[in-house]
Amino acid sequence: MTGIIEFSGPILTGPDTVRHGLWSVDGRLTFHRPAAAPERVLDGWVIPGLVDAHCHIGLGPGGDVAEDTAESQAVTDRDAGTLLVRDAGAVHDTRWLQQRPDLPRIIRAGRHIARTRRYLRGFAVEVEPDGLVEAVRKQARAGDGWVKLVGDWIDRDAGGDLAASFPAGSLKDAVQAAHDEGARVTAHCFAEDTLDDMLDAGIDCIEHGTGLLPRHLPRFVEQGVPIVPTLINIATFPDIAAQAEAKFPRYAAHMRSLWERRAERILEAHEAGVAIYAGTDAGSVIRHGRIVDEIWALHAAGLPAAAALGAASWSARTWLGADGITEGASADVLVCAKDPRQDLGTLAGLKHIVLRGLPTR
């Protein structure tokens, strides 16, 4: 039993909806004042717990991590306000973390699926095209409704540039197999042409999407395919290019060109009506606990503050089928000193974090 908490400030149930009067009773939200007096009163602007829609709890630079490392990653994300994570591939089986009431909720995707020797060593289940469908079915059954494909990567044997991981026909069969299993498919995509193959295959989401071109936008909108840009990860592209320059100059030049249009591309997608969600890509190069940095990066790219915040809160929760601030929902909320729609900086100094009705600080 977690007792009663009263939230005495404005309640942002949506980007344009403000209510007053909210309580947490035994871990559940209610807009009806309970008969008993609250044990705590928390004052400030209330929003749903943040969502990191591309995160790798249970993954490190070398692949799998120890349990204490996975736990530390989850705690770091929680303490930054991330109370819901859509896993985008991890070697470590994090189901045990899902049983911890003091840690963020995790929607798991199992392991990445990549082409043989065409991804980071130790990260993925690596298969050839004839094994892709079977691998997708296995990961769909191992996860919580998502499968993660590596759509492209550097091909050292084909000119040393980004190239698609799997033939278009194999992709179509793989996406259909996932859908047959009741799972959605998302894909790591850097290059331009990879997006055409993914859209043809009926993909459900695109990660990074750095190759997005104007010709793609109508199809993203028509097919309802969202993008998780991971802008704080894309910021590392110049360093990646510099390291690759000597051996793979074409790849280095390509990565720089993708980086140069990163903000323009995302703003064009947003203005065209493509859904954009916030994800950090934490877990290998990017440290955990940076969801606020990603929200700021989306805003810096041109998204209005409310849209950038929604990409990691109201909109993201609706997309993932998770509760926001509604009657009877789990009390997973944040309390801010100021209206975060007007001042995104307030997210860096949260007054309170409440997870499952328990204040974490």
Side-chain angles (χ1 to χ4, degrees):
M1 304 291 282
T2 55
I4 299 175
I5 299 172
E6 179 180 353
F7 301 96
S8 62
I11 315 301
L12 295 175
T13 58
D16 302 311
T17 309
V18 181
R19 295 190 62 167
H20 294 273
L22 180 70
W23 292 262
S24 170
V25 180
D26 295 334
R28 294 287 170 179
L29 295 175
T30 181
F31 295 105
H32 305 288
R33 183 184 294 275
E39 297 168 18
R40 297 190 65 174
V41 178
L42 304 182
D43 182 49
W45 291 76
V46 181
I47 61 172
L50 297 178
V51 178
D52 190 336
H54 184 127
C55 190
H56 304 280
I57 293 175
L59 186 70
D64 199 5
V65 298
E67 285 194 357
D68 59 346
T69 299
E71 179 184 17
S72 177
Q73 292 172 341
V75 168
T76 299
D77 286 323
R78 179 201 68 195
D79 289 351
T82 296
L83 304 187
L84 176 63
V85 166
R86 185 189 64 143
D87 164 50
V91 181
H92 189 91
D93 187 337
T94 56
R95 277 176 282 201
W96 68 277
L97 290 172
Q98 292 177 311
Q99 307 307 311
R100 288 275 299 271
D102 60 326
L103 297 178
R105 301 176 188 277
I106 303 174
I107 299 173
R108 297 168 45 259
R111 294 186 65 175
H112 304 71
I113 302 174
R115 185 74 174 264
T116 309
R117 293 185 296 278
R118 288 279 306 282
Y119 195 48
L120 298 168
R121 184 176 299 175
F123 276 42
V125 173
E126 298 186 359
V127 298
E128 287 299 287
D130 60 0
L132 181 59
V133 167
E134 180 181 353
V136 163
R137 289 191 183 279
K138 181 176 180 180
Q139 294 307 313
R141 294 166 184 168
D144 301 325
W146 282 95
V147 174
K148 170 71 175 295
L149 301 180
V150 178
D152 55 30
W153 198 251
I154 186 172
D155 190 340
R156 294 167 175 82
D157 300 323
D161 196 2
L162 290 169
S165 301
F166 299 102
S170 299
L171 283 175
K172 288 183 180 180
D173 292 342
V175 171
Q176 184 59 55
H179 291 170
D180 290 345
E181 296 289 341
R184 290 184 279 183
V185 184
T186 193
H188 160 111
C189 296
F190 284 167
E192 296 84 352
D193 292 344
T194 312
L195 295 177
D196 296 289
D197 290 346
M198 292 297 172
L199 291 167
D200 288 345
I203 199 77
D204 300 290
C205 182
I206 292 292
E207 312 298 316
H208 317 302
T210 49
L212 189 69
L213 296 173
R215 75 166 190 261
H216 296 126
L217 295 176
R219 295 194 64 190
F220 270 85
V221 174
E222 179 183 350
Q223 294 178 217
V225 179
I227 299 173
V228 184
T230 68
L231 289 176
I232 62 172
N233 181 37
I234 304 311
T236 67
F237 277 22
D239 289 339
I240 295 172
Q243 294 171 28
E245 184 75 55
K247 291 184 66 175
F248 304 107
R250 287 181 57 194
Y251 170 74
H254 198 174
M255 293 295 280
R256 287 194 189 96
S257 71
L258 294 172
W259 172 79
E260 287 167 355
R261 289 196 67 248
R262 65 200 183 283
E264 177 185 350
R265 185 178 299 111
I266 293 308
L267 181 57
E268 289 174 350
H270 171 72
E271 291 179 340
V274 179
I276 305 293
Y277 300 114
T280 63
D281 207 359
S284 54
V285 175
I286 305 301
R287 64 177 174 82
H288 285 263
R290 294 192 62 193
I291 188 60
V292 174
D293 290 337
E294 183 66 19
I295 294 170
W296 292 347
L298 291 171
H299 183 45
L303 270 66
L309 177 58
S313 57
W314 310 287
S315 299
R317 284 180 170 272
T318 298
W319 172 55
L320 292 173
D323 287 335
I325 299 179
T326 58
E327 184 70 30
S330 178
D332 300 348
V333 299
L334 310 177
V335 182
C336 306
K338 301 177 182 178
D339 183 347
R341 301 169 302 174
Q342 304 299 322
D343 182 0
L344 291 174
T346 196
L347 297 171
L350 295 168
K351 293 183 68 176
H352 303 283
I353 299 172
V354 178
L355 176 59
R356 298 178 177 89
L358 290 172
T360 68
R361 72 178 194 202

PDB file of all heavy atoms in Angstrom, residues 30-54:
ATOM      1  N   THR A  30      -6.475   9.384  -9.253  1.00  0.00           N
ATOM      2  CA  THR A  30      -7.902   9.689  -9.240  1.00  0.00           C
ATOM      3  C   THR A  30      -8.092  11.198  -9.202  1.00  0.00           C
ATOM      4  O   THR A  30      -7.295  11.932  -8.605  1.00  0.00           O
ATOM      5  CB  THR A  30      -8.618   9.040  -8.036  1.00  0.00           C
ATOM      6  OG1 THR A  30     -10.013   9.369  -8.105  1.00  0.00           O
ATOM      7  CG2 THR A  30      -8.040   9.509  -6.709  1.00  0.00           C
ATOM      8  N   PHE A  31      -9.154  11.634  -9.862  1.00  0.00           N
ATOM      9  CA  PHE A  31      -9.529  13.049  -9.821  1.00  0.00           C
ATOM     10  C   PHE A  31     -10.566  13.311  -8.726  1.00  0.00           C
ATOM     11  O   PHE A  31     -11.051  14.435  -8.588  1.00  0.00           O
ATOM     12  CB  PHE A  31     -10.087  13.477 -11.184  1.00  0.00           C
ATOM     13  CG  PHE A  31      -9.067  13.415 -12.293  1.00  0.00           C
ATOM     14  CD1 PHE A  31      -9.108  12.402 -13.229  1.00  0.00           C
ATOM     15  CD2 PHE A  31      -8.071  14.379 -12.390  1.00  0.00           C
ATOM     16  CE1 PHE A  31      -8.179  12.334 -14.245  1.00  0.00           C
ATOM     17  CE2 PHE A  31      -7.137  14.326 -13.407  1.00  0.00           C
ATOM     18  CZ  PHE A  31      -7.186  13.304 -14.345  1.00  0.00           C
ATOM     19  N   HIS A  32     -10.909  12.283  -7.961  1.00  0.00           N
ATOM     20  CA  HIS A  32     -11.912  12.397  -6.901  1.00  0.00           C
ATOM     21  C   HIS A  32     -11.207  12.451  -5.547  1.00  0.00           C
ATOM     22  O   HIS A  32     -10.434  11.552  -5.203  1.00  0.00           O
ATOM     23  CB  HIS A  32     -12.878  11.212  -6.946  1.00  0.00           C
ATOM     24  CG  HIS A  32     -13.534  11.030  -8.280  1.00  0.00           C
ATOM     25  ND1 HIS A  32     -14.512  11.879  -8.749  1.00  0.00           N
ATOM     26  CD2 HIS A  32     -13.322  10.098  -9.263  1.00  0.00           C
ATOM     27  CE1 HIS A  32     -14.893  11.476  -9.956  1.00  0.00           C
ATOM     28  NE2 HIS A  32     -14.189  10.405 -10.292  1.00  0.00           N
ATOM     29  N   ARG A  33     -11.499  13.483  -4.789  1.00  0.00           N
ATOM     30  CA  ARG A  33     -10.842  13.654  -3.495  1.00  0.00           C
ATOM     31  C   ARG A  33     -11.163  12.474  -2.575  1.00  0.00           C
ATOM     32  O   ARG A  33     -12.346  12.163  -2.338  1.00  0.00           O
ATOM     33  CB  ARG A  33     -11.316  14.952  -2.835  1.00  0.00           C
ATOM     34  CG  ARG A  33     -10.631  15.250  -1.490  1.00  0.00           C
ATOM     35  CD  ARG A  33     -11.201  16.496  -0.848  1.00  0.00           C
ATOM     36  NE  ARG A  33     -10.892  17.670  -1.642  1.00  0.00           N
ATOM     37  CZ  ARG A  33      -9.759  18.359  -1.557  1.00  0.00           C
ATOM     38  NH1 ARG A  33      -8.812  17.959  -0.713  1.00  0.00           N
ATOM     39  NH2 ARG A  33      -9.581  19.426  -2.309  1.00  0.00           N
ATOM     40  N   PRO A  34     -10.155  11.810  -2.038  1.00  0.00           N
ATOM     41  CA  PRO A  34     -10.419  10.688  -1.123  1.00  0.00           C
ATOM     42  C   PRO A  34     -10.929  11.181   0.229  1.00  0.00           C
ATOM     43  O   PRO A  34     -10.713  12.337   0.622  1.00  0.00           O
ATOM     44  CB  PRO A  34      -9.043  10.025  -0.988  1.00  0.00           C
ATOM     45  CG  PRO A  34      -8.061  11.105  -1.319  1.00  0.00           C
ATOM     46  CD  PRO A  34      -8.732  11.998  -2.316  1.00  0.00           C
ATOM     47  N   ALA A  35     -11.577  10.318   0.949  1.00  0.00           N
ATOM     48  CA  ALA A  35     -12.122  10.688   2.252  1.00  0.00           C
ATOM     49  C   ALA A  35     -11.012  10.958   3.264  1.00  0.00           C
ATOM     50  O   ALA A  35     -11.115  11.855   4.102  1.00  0.00           O
ATOM     51  CB  ALA A  35     -13.047   9.583   2.759  1.00  0.00           C
ATOM     52  N   ALA A  36      -9.950  10.174   3.178  1.00  0.00           N
ATOM     53  CA  ALA A  36      -8.840  10.334   4.125  1.00  0.00           C
ATOM     54  C   ALA A  36      -7.924  11.474   3.692  1.00  0.00           C
ATOM     55  O   ALA A  36      -7.832  11.826   2.510  1.00  0.00           O
ATOM     56  CB  ALA A  36      -8.045   9.033   4.217  1.00  0.00           C
ATOM     57  N   ALA A  37      -7.237  12.046   4.657  1.00  0.00           N
ATOM     58  CA  ALA A  37      -6.293  13.128   4.371  1.00  0.00           C
ATOM     59  C   ALA A  37      -5.040  12.569   3.701  1.00  0.00           C
ATOM     60  O   ALA A  37      -4.636  11.425   3.962  1.00  0.00           O
ATOM     61  CB  ALA A  37      -5.910  13.842   5.668  1.00  0.00           C
ATOM     62  N   PRO A  38      -4.420  13.338   2.819  1.00  0.00           N
ATOM     63  CA  PRO A  38      -3.195  12.858   2.162  1.00  0.00           C
ATOM     64  C   PRO A  38      -2.031  12.782   3.140  1.00  0.00           C
ATOM     65  O   PRO A  38      -1.948  13.550   4.104  1.00  0.00           O
ATOM     66  CB  PRO A  38      -2.944  13.917   1.083  1.00  0.00           C
ATOM     67  CG  PRO A  38      -3.569  15.160   1.620  1.00  0.00           C
ATOM     68  CD  PRO A  38      -4.783  14.702   2.373  1.00  0.00           C
ATOM     69  N   GLU A  39      -1.150  11.855   2.876  1.00  0.00           N
ATOM     70  CA  GLU A  39       0.070  11.745   3.668  1.00  0.00           C
ATOM     71  C   GLU A  39       1.139  12.721   3.178  1.00  0.00           C
ATOM     72  O   GLU A  39       2.018  13.114   3.940  1.00  0.00           O
ATOM     73  CB  GLU A  39       0.593  10.304   3.601  1.00  0.00           C
ATOM     74  CG  GLU A  39      -0.374   9.297   4.196  1.00  0.00           C
ATOM     75  CD  GLU A  39       0.018   7.867   3.868  1.00  0.00           C
ATOM     76  OE1 GLU A  39       1.181   7.642   3.485  1.00  0.00           O
ATOM     77  OE2 GLU A  39      -0.847   6.988   4.005  1.00  0.00           O
ATOM     78  N   ARG A  40       1.043  13.078   1.889  1.00  0.00           N
ATOM     79  CA  ARG A  40       1.978  14.055   1.328  1.00  0.00           C
ATOM     80  C   ARG A  40       1.212  14.949   0.357  1.00  0.00           C
ATOM     81  O   ARG A  40       0.276  14.498  -0.311  1.00  0.00           O
ATOM     82  CB  ARG A  40       3.130  13.376   0.575  1.00  0.00           C
ATOM     83  CG  ARG A  40       4.006  12.504   1.429  1.00  0.00           C
ATOM     84  CD  ARG A  40       5.250  12.063   0.684  1.00  0.00           C
ATOM     85  NE  ARG A  40       6.107  13.205   0.363  1.00  0.00           N
ATOM     86  CZ  ARG A  40       7.320  13.082  -0.192  1.00  0.00           C
ATOM     87  NH1 ARG A  40       7.793  11.880  -0.498  1.00  0.00           N
ATOM     88  NH2 ARG A  40       8.050  14.151  -0.455  1.00  0.00           N
ATOM     89  N   VAL A  41       1.647  16.202   0.282  1.00  0.00           N
ATOM     90  CA  VAL A  41       1.112  17.133  -0.702  1.00  0.00           C
ATOM     91  C   VAL A  41       2.278  17.633  -1.537  1.00  0.00           C
ATOM     92  O   VAL A  41       3.249  18.187  -1.000  1.00  0.00           O
ATOM     93  CB  VAL A  41       0.392  18.326  -0.029  1.00  0.00           C
ATOM     94  CG1 VAL A  41      -0.105  19.298  -1.088  1.00  0.00           C
ATOM     95  CG2 VAL A  41      -0.757  17.840   0.841  1.00  0.00           C
ATOM     96  N   LEU A  42       2.190  17.402  -2.857  1.00  0.00           N
ATOM     97  CA  LEU A  42       3.261  17.794  -3.769  1.00  0.00           C
ATOM     98  C   LEU A  42       2.751  18.925  -4.651  1.00  0.00           C
ATOM     99  O   LEU A  42       1.740  18.773  -5.339  1.00  0.00           O
ATOM    100  CB  LEU A  42       3.698  16.604  -4.632  1.00  0.00           C
ATOM    101  CG  LEU A  42       4.136  15.348  -3.869  1.00  0.00           C
ATOM    102  CD1 LEU A  42       4.596  14.270  -4.848  1.00  0.00           C
ATOM    103  CD2 LEU A  42       5.233  15.658  -2.863  1.00  0.00           C
ATOM    104  N   ASP A  43       3.456  20.026  -4.633  1.00  0.00           N
ATOM    105  CA  ASP A  43       3.025  21.202  -5.377  1.00  0.00           C
ATOM    106  C   ASP A  43       3.883  21.393  -6.615  1.00  0.00           C
ATOM    107  O   ASP A  43       5.101  21.206  -6.574  1.00  0.00           O
ATOM    108  CB  ASP A  43       3.121  22.446  -4.492  1.00  0.00           C
ATOM    109  CG  ASP A  43       2.632  23.694  -5.220  1.00  0.00           C
ATOM    110  OD1 ASP A  43       1.540  23.640  -5.810  1.00  0.00           O
ATOM    111  OD2 ASP A  43       3.368  24.702  -5.222  1.00  0.00           O
ATOM    112  N   GLY A  44       3.257  21.772  -7.725  1.00  0.00           N
ATOM    113  CA  GLY A  44       3.963  22.030  -8.971  1.00  0.00           C
ATOM    114  C   GLY A  44       3.139  21.552 -10.151  1.00  0.00           C
ATOM    115  O   GLY A  44       2.017  21.053  -9.996  1.00  0.00           O
ATOM    116  N   TRP A  45       3.685  21.748 -11.332  1.00  0.00           N
ATOM    117  CA  TRP A  45       3.015  21.330 -12.568  1.00  0.00           C
ATOM    118  C   TRP A  45       3.237  19.832 -12.768  1.00  0.00           C
ATOM    119  O   TRP A  45       4.376  19.355 -12.770  1.00  0.00           O
ATOM    120  CB  TRP A  45       3.578  22.105 -13.751  1.00  0.00           C
ATOM    121  CG  TRP A  45       3.220  23.568 -13.726  1.00  0.00           C
ATOM    122  CD1 TRP A  45       3.765  24.529 -12.951  1.00  0.00           C
ATOM    123  CD2 TRP A  45       2.205  24.200 -14.516  1.00  0.00           C
ATOM    124  NE1 TRP A  45       3.162  25.743 -13.189  1.00  0.00           N
ATOM    125  CE2 TRP A  45       2.206  25.568 -14.154  1.00  0.00           C
ATOM    126  CE3 TRP A  45       1.309  23.755 -15.484  1.00  0.00           C
ATOM    127  CZ2 TRP A  45       1.345  26.491 -14.743  1.00  0.00           C
ATOM    128  CZ3 TRP A  45       0.446  24.670 -16.066  1.00  0.00           C
ATOM    129  CH2 TRP A  45       0.473  26.018 -15.692  1.00  0.00           C
ATOM    130  N   VAL A  46       2.151  19.104 -12.969  1.00  0.00           N
ATOM    131  CA  VAL A  46       2.210  17.645 -13.060  1.00  0.00           C
ATOM    132  C   VAL A  46       2.079  17.195 -14.512  1.00  0.00           C
ATOM    133  O   VAL A  46       1.167  17.632 -15.227  1.00  0.00           O
ATOM    134  CB  VAL A  46       1.103  17.001 -12.205  1.00  0.00           C
ATOM    135  CG1 VAL A  46       1.179  15.475 -12.287  1.00  0.00           C
ATOM    136  CG2 VAL A  46       1.232  17.465 -10.753  1.00  0.00           C
ATOM    137  N   ILE A  47       2.988  16.315 -14.940  1.00  0.00           N
ATOM    138  CA  ILE A  47       2.940  15.717 -16.279  1.00  0.00           C
ATOM    139  C   ILE A  47       3.145  14.211 -16.150  1.00  0.00           C
ATOM    140  O   ILE A  47       3.637  13.733 -15.112  1.00  0.00           O
ATOM    141  CB  ILE A  47       4.012  16.305 -17.222  1.00  0.00           C
ATOM    142  CG1 ILE A  47       5.419  16.049 -16.674  1.00  0.00           C
ATOM    143  CG2 ILE A  47       3.774  17.790 -17.454  1.00  0.00           C
ATOM    144  CD1 ILE A  47       6.534  16.440 -17.638  1.00  0.00           C
ATOM    145  N   PRO A  48       2.789  13.438 -17.176  1.00  0.00           N
ATOM    146  CA  PRO A  48       3.074  12.002 -17.118  1.00  0.00           C
ATOM    147  C   PRO A  48       4.580  11.755 -17.070  1.00  0.00           C
ATOM    148  O   PRO A  48       5.377  12.560 -17.565  1.00  0.00           O
ATOM    149  CB  PRO A  48       2.481  11.464 -18.425  1.00  0.00           C
ATOM    150  CG  PRO A  48       1.594  12.537 -18.943  1.00  0.00           C
ATOM    151  CD  PRO A  48       2.134  13.828 -18.435  1.00  0.00           C
ATOM    152  N   GLY A  49       4.977  10.631 -16.501  1.00  0.00           N
ATOM    153  CA  GLY A  49       6.370  10.231 -16.555  1.00  0.00           C
ATOM    154  C   GLY A  49       6.862  10.192 -17.987  1.00  0.00           C
ATOM    155  O   GLY A  49       6.141   9.790 -18.899  1.00  0.00           O
ATOM    156  N   LEU A  50       8.104  10.610 -18.189  1.00  0.00           N
ATOM    157  CA  LEU A  50       8.648  10.686 -19.546  1.00  0.00           C
ATOM    158  C   LEU A  50       8.869   9.296 -20.148  1.00  0.00           C
ATOM    159  O   LEU A  50       9.019   8.304 -19.433  1.00  0.00           O
ATOM    160  CB  LEU A  50       9.949  11.479 -19.541  1.00  0.00           C
ATOM    161  CG  LEU A  50       9.833  12.943 -19.109  1.00  0.00           C
ATOM    162  CD1 LEU A  50      11.200  13.613 -19.086  1.00  0.00           C
ATOM    163  CD2 LEU A  50       8.876  13.708 -20.025  1.00  0.00           C
ATOM    164  N   VAL A  51       8.879   9.281 -21.468  1.00  0.00           N
ATOM    165  CA  VAL A  51       9.070   8.052 -22.239  1.00  0.00           C
ATOM    166  C   VAL A  51      10.355   8.166 -23.037  1.00  0.00           C
ATOM    167  O   VAL A  51      10.567   9.153 -23.752  1.00  0.00           O
ATOM    168  CB  VAL A  51       7.899   7.820 -23.211  1.00  0.00           C
ATOM    169  CG1 VAL A  51       8.128   6.559 -24.042  1.00  0.00           C
ATOM    170  CG2 VAL A  51       6.574   7.758 -22.468  1.00  0.00           C
ATOM    171  N   ASP A  52      11.234   7.182 -22.914  1.00  0.00           N
ATOM    172  CA  ASP A  52      12.392   7.072 -23.805  1.00  0.00           C
ATOM    173  C   ASP A  52      12.057   5.969 -24.799  1.00  0.00           C
ATOM    174  O   ASP A  52      12.051   4.784 -24.457  1.00  0.00           O
ATOM    175  CB  ASP A  52      13.665   6.739 -23.033  1.00  0.00           C
ATOM    176  CG  ASP A  52      14.925   6.866 -23.891  1.00  0.00           C
ATOM    177  OD1 ASP A  52      14.803   6.759 -25.133  1.00  0.00           O
ATOM    178  OD2 ASP A  52      16.012   7.066 -23.323  1.00  0.00           O
ATOM    179  N   ALA A  53      11.746   6.362 -26.025  1.00  0.00           N
ATOM    180  CA  ALA A  53      11.236   5.417 -27.023  1.00  0.00           C
ATOM    181  C   ALA A  53      12.322   4.690 -27.795  1.00  0.00           C
ATOM    182  O   ALA A  53      12.014   3.906 -28.694  1.00  0.00           O
ATOM    183  CB  ALA A  53      10.308   6.145 -28.003  1.00  0.00           C
ATOM    184  N   HIS A  54      13.580   4.958 -27.463  1.00  0.00           N
ATOM    185  CA  HIS A  54      14.681   4.191 -28.063  1.00  0.00           C
ATOM    186  C   HIS A  54      15.779   4.136 -27.019  1.00  0.00           C
ATOM    187  O   HIS A  54      16.615   5.026 -26.901  1.00  0.00           O
ATOM    188  CB  HIS A  54      15.187   4.853 -29.343  1.00  0.00           C
ATOM    189  CG  HIS A  54      16.241   4.056 -30.052  1.00  0.00           C
ATOM    190  ND1 HIS A  54      16.167   3.715 -31.383  1.00  0.00           N
ATOM    191  CD2 HIS A  54      17.418   3.524 -29.625  1.00  0.00           C
ATOM    192  CE1 HIS A  54      17.233   3.027 -31.739  1.00  0.00           C
ATOM    193  NE2 HIS A  54      18.013   2.894 -30.674  1.00  0.00           N
TER     194      HIS A  54
END
